[in-house]
Amino acid sequence: MTDVASRGSTLRLAFISAVVSLVAAFAAVGSTIPLFNVYRAEDGFTNAGISMTVVAYSVATLATLLMLGRLSNHLGRRPTSIASLILLLVGCVLLLNVHEIGILIAGRLLMGLGAGLASSSLTSYVVDAAPARPAWLASVASSQTVMLGLAVGAIASGALVQFGPWPRDLIFLVVIALLVVSVALIVVSPETVTSMPGAWRSLRPRVYVPARARSLLPVAAAVLLATWAAGAFYQAFVPALVEDQLHTRSPLAVGLVFAAYMGPSVLGAPLAGRFAPATAQRVGMIGFLAGMIVLVIAIATGTLVLFIAATIVAGASQGIAISAATRALLHGGTPADRAPIFSVIYLLSYSGATIPALIAGQLSNTFSLPQIALGYGGLALVATLFTVIAARNPHIDAARNSPAR
């Protein structure tokens, strides 16, 4: 009994450390967003240039997931998690001196490398160490802690840029401190997997999905591509939209608007646990589409209150859909399946962020921001229709053989 209690206590430490570290990692990613308007005003950066920083971040993340997504199965969760946090820390140090678009792109690229490694290692660490009850906790914590971190980083950055000293630097100093604390927490936490040979072979790019989850992947892809595309839209274009269409220059307003999309995702996610995964994905995507439709209307009319309300609806709904998709893919899996599955989840997610952002960035010199927003609404419509028609629950045999946590 003492051994069981001791193991429970050490796993609790690992779970808390992994969650805190995942929040810190993506707070670092979110911290740059309210500064985009500062860089536009003071350094002459363009919408197309800002969009390229989002693409650089996403491409770096995709490359890392392809090559390093399974590395934590071989080296362990702790060393790969620590490496991800250090990459993010170096990216923050580089962003302390941004006056050229190349520096911003390089800093975001380093953040992409760190976020890619964190997306497989830290999320797997969260699932490994999560308590068995409530059953939805592992999928919600692993999928929504990222959104929470992005929201926290954006709000904190907006507040410090608007009200704090050293507006271009202070947020990065704060995030660096958080990342250092996170490294220390991981160092004192227990390992949750046994290291095994084959680390070099695991670096060969490979996308692996267990057979039991392959039939669920198309709908999960639709959910992830559409919702993360909207997230990239908020990163790349909302700072300009808030200033040009909604008539406010406040960095805090930019942070709050971005957080209004990411933050409610965390609140919506537990609702997914009340429904079967297929039902939750349908409900979530219908709500997401409704939010995107109202968002387009708000941009066209220049109504900030309506814009924020639509953003909250879309954000909460994406939390339901993403958490349900993650729960379905993890259902019946083994610990060795987790890192590959999360690699695939984030490969799809960052593909959704990268490809539309790259296209939209090129089109931003020709089309207005309201027209670009309409294109993202069209993507949401297609993804929602596909999800409503094709969503399925995990196969019952997989559930019987190995209950989902």
Side-chain angles (χ1 to χ4, degrees):
M1 185 68 72
T2 302
D3 289 343
V4 171
S6 176
R7 175 168 173 73
S9 177
T10 57
L11 282 179
R12 203 157 34 243
L13 173 61
F15 178 70
I16 293 170
S17 298
V19 167
V20 169
S21 298
L22 201 55
V23 170
F26 284 89
V29 174
S31 65
T32 56
I33 294 163
L35 281 160
F36 286 160
N37 277 349
V38 176
Y39 299 146
R40 286 202 312 156
E42 297 182 4
D43 299 305
F45 294 177
T46 64
N47 288 337
I50 295 296
S51 181
M52 284 306 300
T53 70
V54 176
V55 171
Y57 165 81
S58 299
V59 168
T61 305
L62 285 168
T64 305
L65 287 165
L66 277 171
M67 295 188 64
L68 306 180
R70 293 171 290 139
L71 192 62
S72 69
N73 281 349
H74 299 275
L75 299 184
R77 308 295 193 217
R78 291 171 66 245
T80 48
S81 296
I82 290 169
S84 73
L85 295 169
I86 290 173
L87 282 167
L88 286 156
L89 193 154
V90 174
C92 288
V93 170
L94 193 59
L95 293 178
L96 286 170
N97 186 31
V98 172
H99 292 286
E100 298 177 359
I101 193 68
I103 298 296
L104 181 58
I105 289 174
R108 292 289 287 177
L109 190 144
L110 278 170
M111 285 186 166
L113 297 175
L117 195 53
S119 295
S120 62
S121 59
L122 276 171
T123 49
S124 297
Y125 203 9
V126 167
V127 176
D128 290 348
R133 293 288 179 270
W136 49 260
L137 181 60
S139 63
V140 170
S142 57
S143 65
Q144 298 306 311
T145 301
V146 171
M147 305 298 183
L148 177 62
L150 288 167
V152 168
I155 292 174
S157 178
L160 292 177
V161 169
Q162 186 162 342
F163 301 113
W166 321 310
R168 296 170 66 116
D169 300 328
L170 183 57
I171 182 59
F172 296 121
L173 295 174
V174 171
V175 171
I176 287 168
L178 286 175
L179 291 170
V180 170
V181 170
S182 298
V183 169
L185 285 172
I186 298 296
V187 166
V188 300
S189 296
E191 181 58 73
T192 54
V193 297
T194 303
S195 59
M196 56 183 181
W200 284 110
R201 287 195 302 275
S202 76
L203 301 183
R204 288 180 298 184
R206 180 190 175 203
V207 177
Y208 166 70
V209 179
R212 60 173 180 75
R214 287 172 194 164
S215 64
L216 306 173
L217 199 59
V219 170
V223 169
L224 295 166
L225 288 170
T227 54
W228 278 68
F233 169 77
Y234 273 82
Q235 288 188 56
F237 297 108
V238 163
L241 271 172
V242 168
E243 181 174 335
D244 300 339
Q245 302 294 130
L246 304 176
H247 316 300
T248 175
R249 290 177 168 270
S250 166
L252 180 57
V254 173
L256 287 172
V257 167
F258 181 72
Y261 181 67
M262 295 300 176
S265 182
V266 182
L267 302 177
L271 296 177
R274 298 176 179 271
F275 304 97
T279 302
Q281 287 175 90
R282 291 188 183 103
V283 170
M285 288 304 291
I286 290 170
F288 174 72
L289 176 60
M292 291 299 290
I293 291 170
V294 178
L295 183 78
V296 171
I297 295 170
I299 292 170
T301 58
T303 309
L304 181 59
V305 173
L306 188 61
F307 184 91
I308 292 175
T311 297
I312 291 170
V313 170
S317 300
Q318 76 150 359
I320 296 172
I322 292 173
S323 180
T326 302
R327 179 160 56 102
L329 292 174
L330 290 173
H331 196 71
T334 66
D337 289 337
R338 288 167 188 163
I341 286 175
F342 276 116
S343 293
V344 170
I345 286 172
Y346 284 105
L347 278 169
L348 292 169
S349 301
Y350 283 106
S351 294
T354 304
I355 297 169
L358 184 59
I359 295 170
Q362 296 302 310
L363 294 177
S364 66
N365 294 321
T366 304
F367 293 94
S368 68
L369 291 181
Q371 289 172 323
I372 289 172
L374 189 61
Y376 280 91
L379 178 60
L381 174 61
V382 172
T384 300
L385 290 174
F386 181 73
T387 302
V388 169
I389 294 168
R392 299 290 183 271
N393 289 314
H395 197 279
I396 192 167
D397 288 343
R400 189 177 293 134
N401 291 339
S402 181
R405 292 186 66 180

